[in-house]
Amino acid sequence: MRIGVDVGGTFTDVVTLDPAAGLRFVKTPSVPADPAQGVLDGLALLARELNQSLAEMLAGTTVFIHGTTVATNILVQRNGARTGLITTAGFRDLLELREGTKDHRYRLRDQFPAPLIERNLRLEVMERMDKDGGVETPLDDAGTLEAINSLRERRVEAVVVCFLHAHRNPRHEIRVRELIAASGWSPFVSLSHEVLSREGEYDRLSTAVVNAYVGPGLDGYLTRLAGNLSRNGIRAPLLIMQSNGGVLPADEAGKRSVGAVTSGPAGGAMAGALFAGHYRFPRLVAYDTGGTSTDICVIEEQRPVEIQAKHLADMKIAVPAIDINPLAVGGGSIAAIDGGGILTLGPRSAGAAPGPACFMKGGTRPTLADANLVLGFISADTFLGGRLRLSLPAAVTAITDHIAAPLGLSVEDAALAVHNLASSKITEGIRLATVRRGADPRDFALLSFGGAGGVHASAVASELEIPEAIIPRQASVLSALGFLAADVRHDIQRAVGGPVGGMAANALGELCAQMTEEARRGLSRQGFSPEHMTLRLEADCRYERQIHSIPVAMDALWPAGELDARLQQAFEAAYMGLYHHIHESEPAIIDQVRIAAYGVLPRVAPPRVADQAGVPAPRAARRVYLNGFLSCPVYWFDALGAGARLRGPALIDSASTTVLLHPGDYARVDEIGCLHITRGEYA
């Protein structure tokens, strides 16, 4: 048995792939005060679904992968560890100076974001490496011990060590860790060269600070969760989803906690890649609309697009990550009328507590979920498989009081306006994610998932002129399913900082060989044999007078004597593909070389469903509002077999999601149970 668990802001999703039971999944409300309890609640519910005890189910589990918002929440809420910094003399204020920019650079009165470390906890010591890694000034051990003792006295929980040019020579940073250990103190220690080994002092510092700030909280959570799972009978190691789409063992993930920020959405991206591979789509854009947000990801050649840095909560995180484009649109997004009398949706969310008004848990503000309930798009009786009955009167009251009455609309027109605004926001988010990459959204297929995604899929695809929208049967828990499609991943990078051909003979080849060997040793220590390892080698290259680099794929089979020429050709081809011109007389500058090393876990494949027997029969009819009332047939998603064909208007319900077919829509169910929506009928 293989289990994936995704803790979201509103719901915790648990998915299992079992040889006997096939693919099964459950959703349960998250417990924001104790996310581990939400995980155990979901596992217990899944065990009951399988007619097993929790101990029996966990004892038979061979792979357990978990994605969590703990690291993200710590950073966003600014409730991380009390953190101190030890840095090169003269550089204590780099964290505050940043790169000289702020989000709104022309708002001159706006303050720069407050750093995560107070100035009195940022201490300097005498040491210096030159730009090539040579020692200019030896580390002052006595001064360093004074700094360590000072931070200890001030009850610091985590220590960041970031020295100038430490990525070229980490000796001094390593020595500080040795001095901390020798002092008998055991804080969480984050060395900048271990978190990020490349050029860019602020990038290294900022990333190492985030790692230390969220590290103790995430490490503590993972330790508690692993203990709870162990006491309940699990023997499989706890693997943690990373932002780059790979997984790491819990103990290592706790030390490299910066990699777990945005790990949940990365699971959705990996699921998108899984389905793109199944259908052999060269281009697919996926969006995940859950209870709190919508996450958009572009998949090209069956791989999610990656970035090398992102900003979150005013901090730069310069580690490889899947390029997730988040929107503050989810089922719990609160609708309101702003000061100018304009309807707005989000960014505030009702979350899991108190939740939408229709949940009857104390929420009174109207949300997207309330609007969809008023419109008849979702059922009050089948939400969460009937375990959470929704209140239509409460939703009507919230929409009426806060939207319909102020705008002078009927409650149905007000709810439809909220619904259409959500579809419009998702549409614009997808347009930005594709067009900014120079791509036309009409060239993509659309994958919609998340519990709240299916009611918007047809409208979004129609507005973008995307010919086909696909909704998996497991749409509401697809991020958790995506965890099971991930592999163990380690990233290694080395700074180069010179032109192609400017290194000594075979130096680039020797560097790549050293990195490859290091990657293989790391995977071997975790039990992977050579046949279960794959490596992806890339160089970040640019022209000399440029600031930004582009990733260039390298092939380990390139002959050593042709490496420079092959890399120059590959860079020019990649540059031409992006910008439609090259600078023929200029060599590429190699900023860094990177290896993504994968330990391949057993492959996951969506299970096939039985063929449709006869014409699908609706289980009921529901009154819905689409610019007027009409009666829609309602089908049960799990009862639709392969080959089933439907025509809109119609609703397809399941225990955890609903799909809306508009008039003029056609839909068919494929061999793995996915629903394909088009504006024209399939041949």
Side-chain angles (χ1 to χ4, degrees):
M1 181 178 289
R2 305 168 67 189
I3 292 177
V5 180
D6 178 26
V7 177
T10 306
F11 293 106
T12 294
D13 303 333
V14 185
V15 172
T16 180
L17 265 176
D18 178 54
L23 180 65
R24 303 286 287 273
F25 58 89
V26 297
K27 291 179 80 74
T28 187
S30 296
V31 183
D34 184 8
Q37 185 58 53
V39 173
L40 293 175
D41 291 346
L43 291 171
L45 179 60
L46 178 63
R48 289 197 295 272
E49 293 269 335
L50 297 174
N51 295 316
Q52 297 181 18
S53 70
L54 179 59
E56 288 173 334
M57 184 183 76
L58 291 179
T61 299
T62 56
V63 175
F64 191 103
I65 301 178
H66 177 37
T68 174
T69 58
V70 169
T72 308
N73 292 343
I74 289 172
L75 187 58
V76 171
Q77 296 167 9
R78 292 268 178 149
N79 59 358
R82 183 172 170 82
T83 306
L85 169 67
I86 296 176
T87 189
T88 306
F91 286 83
R92 68 185 298 196
D93 292 323
L94 178 60
L95 189 64
E96 201 153 359
L97 294 172
R98 299 158 62 91
E99 295 165 306
T101 62
K102 51 188 175 182
D103 286 344
H104 303 287
R105 65 181 66 191
Y106 298 116
R107 294 181 185 175
L108 302 183
R109 292 185 177 85
D110 280 6
Q111 296 295 314
F112 278 90
L116 294 178
I117 304 177
E118 304 167 18
R119 193 169 193 271
N120 67 331
L121 297 180
R122 305 198 301 260
L123 306 182
E124 300 176 347
V125 298
M126 294 300 299
E127 72 83 41
R128 188 80 173 220
M129 295 286 179
D130 65 24
K131 63 182 178 63
D132 298 315
V135 179
E136 279 192 9
T137 304
L139 178 68
D140 178 6
D141 280 9
T144 301
L145 282 171
E146 286 183 17
I148 292 169
N149 292 331
S150 176
L151 294 177
R152 186 176 186 178
E153 290 170 0
R154 299 179 199 182
R155 301 183 181 277
V156 162
E157 303 166 85
V159 176
V160 178
V161 184
C162 183
F163 289 148
L164 194 66
H165 304 308
H167 63 291
R168 294 290 189 182
N169 185 344
R171 184 192 312 169
H172 290 172
E173 288 193 351
I174 294 170
R175 176 58 178 161
V176 175
R177 179 164 56 195
E178 293 171 350
L179 291 172
I180 291 173
S183 72
W185 187 29
S186 55
F188 186 99
V189 178
S190 180
L191 304 186
S192 74
H193 79 276
E194 291 181 341
V195 177
L196 187 68
S197 182
R198 65 170 173 81
E199 302 285 358
E201 299 307 316
Y202 175 70
D203 286 8
R204 281 195 298 112
L205 174 59
S206 178
T207 307
V209 166
V210 171
N211 189 65
Y213 187 74
V214 305
L218 178 64
D219 197 35
Y221 164 73
L222 295 178
T223 300
R224 292 193 302 274
L225 179 60
N228 287 337
L229 293 173
S230 179
R231 286 189 291 274
N232 280 283
I234 199 168
R235 291 189 290 270
L238 175 60
L239 300 174
I240 307 303
M241 190 71 191
Q242 301 292 290
S243 306
N244 58 20
V247 297
L248 286 177
D251 55 349
E252 190 168 346
K255 296 171 186 173
R256 292 188 58 85
S257 54
V258 69
V261 178
T262 70
S263 67
M270 295 306 296
L274 174 69
F275 282 91
H278 178 83
Y279 296 119
R280 301 188 183 280
F281 287 142
R283 283 182 162 183
L284 180 142
V285 60
Y287 79 91
D288 173 9
T289 302
T292 307
S293 63
T294 294
D295 297 307
I296 299 166
C297 178
V298 174
I299 316 290
E300 294 185 340
E301 302 300 334
Q302 288 92 56
R303 275 181 47 199
V305 172
E306 284 189 17
I307 53 175
Q308 296 304 308
K310 62 180 177 290
H311 287 83
L312 183 66
D314 295 323
M315 293 297 296
K316 188 172 185 179
I317 303 172
V319 294
I322 292 174
D323 188 9
I324 304 293
N325 301 272
L327 298 173
V329 176
S333 293
I334 294 174
I337 307 299
D338 68 12
I342 303 298
L343 176 66
T344 64
L345 182 66
R348 291 181 56 210
S349 173
C358 60
F359 282 16
M360 295 295 289
K361 292 184 177 181
T364 59
R365 305 291 298 182
T367 67
L368 179 58
D370 294 307
N372 285 331
L373 180 62
V374 168
L375 295 167
F377 296 165
I378 59 177
S379 168
D381 301 322
T382 61
F383 196 80
L384 284 187
R387 288 183 287 112
L388 178 61
R389 290 186 61 84
L390 305 182
S391 170
L392 178 59
V396 169
T397 299
I399 296 288
T400 299
D401 291 349
H402 296 280
I403 307 297
L407 293 179
L409 299 173
S410 69
V411 65
E412 293 84 9
D413 282 331
L416 187 60
V418 174
H419 172 87
N420 289 341
L421 179 57
S423 296
S424 177
K425 283 178 172 285
I426 296 169
T427 298
E428 288 308 305
I430 292 173
R431 184 174 281 120
L432 285 173
T434 52
V435 171
R436 76 179 181 186
R437 295 185 57 78
D440 187 334
R442 293 174 293 185
D443 296 333
F444 287 73
L446 180 69
L447 181 73
S448 167
F449 59 101
V455 292
H456 301 281
S458 173
V460 169
S462 177
E463 178 63 26
L464 291 168
E465 299 182 51
I466 291 177
E468 183 176 22
I470 302 155
I471 299 94
R473 187 160 294 190
Q474 312 83 12
S476 68
V477 294
L478 210 68
S479 287
L481 176 63
F483 297 165
L484 300 181
D487 295 317
V488 171
R489 172 170 167 171
H490 293 273
D491 287 287
I492 300 172
Q493 50 196 321
R494 294 289 183 271
V496 177
V500 172
M503 302 176 68
N506 297 325
L508 182 59
E510 290 172 3
L511 174 63
C512 293
Q514 292 169 4
M515 294 172 64
T516 298
E517 179 60 27
E518 180 182 344
R520 292 188 180 279
R521 283 199 307 268
L523 291 173
S524 179
R525 285 193 296 269
Q526 292 184 334
F528 290 97
S529 57
E531 61 268 22
H532 291 103
M533 301 178 188
T534 61
L535 304 180
R536 194 177 81 239
L537 184 63
E538 290 183 328
D540 291 329
C541 300
R542 57 181 172 82
Y543 286 117
E544 186 173 16
R545 293 185 298 277
Q546 296 176 336
I547 299 173
H548 301 290
S549 58
I550 62 173
V552 180
M554 300 176 67
D555 192 330
L557 298 179
W558 285 349
E562 300 177 14
L563 195 59
D564 291 339
R566 293 285 188 97
L567 180 57
Q568 180 72 28
Q569 292 169 4
F571 167 68
E572 290 177 351
Y575 196 92
M576 175 66 77
L578 285 171
Y579 305 114
H580 304 287
H581 72 277
I582 60 173
H583 302 279
E584 295 184 5
S585 61
E586 295 187 35
I589 302 296
I590 311 173
D591 284 335
Q592 62 178 337
V593 176
R594 295 180 284 107
I595 284 183
Y598 298 90
V600 180
L601 295 174
R603 296 294 85 188
V604 60
R608 302 178 76 87
V609 300
D611 290 339
Q612 175 66 37
V615 178
R619 62 183 294 175
R622 195 154 71 230
R623 190 166 177 259
V624 302
Y625 188 82
L626 280 170
N627 297 317
F629 286 105
L630 52 88
S631 179
C632 264
V634 180
Y635 300 87
W636 191 246
F637 210 156
D638 291 343
L640 296 174
R645 293 172 182 260
L646 306 174
R647 185 173 181 175
L651 292 164
I652 300 95
D653 274 350
S654 75
S656 54
T657 192
T658 295
V659 180
L660 170 65
L661 299 183
H662 286 259
D665 284 345
Y666 292 85
R668 67 174 178 88
V669 178
D670 69 14
E671 72 283 356
I672 59 173
C674 292
L675 194 72
H676 297 245
I677 302 174
T678 62
R679 296 297 293 176
E681 189 169 9
Y682 281 90

